[in-house]
Amino acid sequence: MTQSDLQTAFDFIIQDDTLIYGVLKDLHVPRQRNNFADLYQIGVLAFVEAYDHFPGNIEAETHRFMVYAYQAVKWAIMMTFRRIITMTSESASLTVQTMMIP
């Protein structure tokens, strides 16, 4: 992806970022959540990556691209949730094991 393609992708999402907010709303993420801004940024980066990997012509197939990008953003944010849950459960597991050692 060239610098101009990267800039085009960022400009595209910054003009209308309702897709990112729509994904966050679909996943029931409230704006008051302490990592809302981080999840938003993950969504923006996932959108740019989807822009780069889209197999068709974005200008000719705008609706198809938006569906593709929506799914990519949703998966990226869900993957982040999985990582948070995994880290939290591993941390809790280590705490319990430490407490059990005589």
Side-chain angles (χ1 to χ4, degrees):
M1 179 175 236
T2 66
Q3 187 67 22
S4 65
D5 291 341
L6 186 64
Q7 188 62 46
T8 303
F10 273 111
D11 290 343
F12 190 75
I13 192 59
I14 297 304
Q15 282 179 331
D16 184 18
D17 60 356
T18 55
L19 183 133
I20 308 294
Y21 287 115
V23 170
L24 291 168
K25 184 176 181 180
D26 187 33
L27 294 173
H28 305 286
V29 178
R31 289 180 187 253
Q32 296 80 18
R33 188 179 172 117
N34 61 353
N35 64 345
F36 184 86
D38 296 330
L39 295 172
Y40 175 85
Q41 289 301 319
I42 289 168
V44 169
L45 294 174
F47 181 89
V48 171
E49 190 172 317
Y51 191 93
D52 183 38
H53 291 107
F54 184 67
N57 182 350
I58 293 170
E59 292 159 5
E61 303 173 90
T62 305
H63 177 71
R64 188 169 159 248
F65 167 70
M66 294 304 276
V67 171
Y68 178 84
Y70 185 92
Q71 195 64 46
V73 170
K74 187 173 182 179
W75 286 345
I77 293 172
M78 288 174 60
M79 185 66 78
T80 302
F81 286 148
R82 285 190 199 107
R83 286 186 191 123
I84 291 169
I85 290 169
T86 302
M87 287 185 338
T88 304
S89 66
E90 287 175 358
S91 172
S93 169
L94 289 174
T95 304
V96 169
Q97 288 176 358
T98 305
M99 294 172 67
M100 296 176 107
I101 297 175

